[in-house]
């Protein structure tokens, strides 16, 4: 069975870039997309329009989004007993932002710098035992 990734990012261009990269590299990954943290939580909880979806093996999370940003999403995710162990890889604008993740005490499993490259995504998934 292929790995399932939930990309939570409000930028359609970034989402399309990740989708095309997965297709181009022929990675055995099923990509789902939510455009903010609220939709991401609904997906993971199989609520609303996502009630028929299998949960994600990994969440790729942008921090800057409207409605519910990545930080708020992480806080809600980690409070939810059924979701708190969900693997989360944060998407950052640069490596410099990795220090702010630690300083803010955000519970993330890894981070990648945008634009995400196929080899980096695969390596992160291997480190986290997703594939």
């Amino acid at each position: 069975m292929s790995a399932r990734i939930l990309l939570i990012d409000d930028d359609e261009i970034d989402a399309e870039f990740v989708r095309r990269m997965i297709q181009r590299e022929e990675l055995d990954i099923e990509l789902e997309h939510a455009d903010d943290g609220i939709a991401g939580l609904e997906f993971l909880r199989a609520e609303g329009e996502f009630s028929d979806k299998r949960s994600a093996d990994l969440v790729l999370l942008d921090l800057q989004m409207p409605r519910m940003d990545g930080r708020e999403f992480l806080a809600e995710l980690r409070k939810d007993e059924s979701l708190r162990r969900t693997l989360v890889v944060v998407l950052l604008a640069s490596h410099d932002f990795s220090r702010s993740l630690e300083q803010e005490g955000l519970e993330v499993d890894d981070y990648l710098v945008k634009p995400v490259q196929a080899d980096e995504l695969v390596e992160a998934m291997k480190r986290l035992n997703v594939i």
Side-chain angles (χ1 to χ4, degrees), residues 20-129:
R20 287 183 184 198
M21 179 219 24
I22 288 169
Q23 289 172 346
R24 181 182 63 245
E25 299 295 325
E26 299 178 355
L27 300 175
D28 192 18
I29 295 171
E30 187 178 333
L31 183 69
E32 297 286 346
H33 178 238
D35 58 7
D36 64 28
I38 292 172
L41 287 171
E42 288 174 354
F43 180 93
L44 294 171
R45 292 174 175 151
E47 298 174 341
E49 68 179 281
F50 304 110
S51 62
D52 63 340
K53 299 288 185 180
R54 167 173 79 83
S55 192
D57 300 306
L58 176 72
V59 172
L60 290 179
L61 178 66
D62 185 36
L63 293 180
Q64 304 297 320
M65 295 178 289
R67 248 180 18 139
M68 177 185 277
D69 70 15
R71 289 168 179 82
E72 295 166 315
F73 169 85
L74 279 169
E76 287 298 313
L77 183 80
R78 298 307 186 209
K79 284 193 300 188
D80 186 319
E81 189 62 39
S82 65
L83 299 176
R84 70 177 338 150
R85 290 176 199 54
T86 302
L87 296 172
V88 178
V89 174
V90 171
L91 302 175
L92 300 174
S94 78
H95 287 286
D96 295 338
F97 287 102
S98 65
R99 283 188 286 274
S100 70
L101 291 176
E102 294 173 17
Q103 291 169 346
E104 293 178 50
L106 298 177
E107 293 181 49
V108 301
D109 298 289
D110 208 342
Y111 72 91
L112 295 172
V113 176
K114 288 183 177 183
V116 176
Q117 301 301 313
D119 60 333
E120 295 169 333
L121 177 59
V122 169
E123 283 304 312
M125 293 176 72
K126 285 179 180 177
R127 279 192 302 274
L128 298 171
N129 295 316

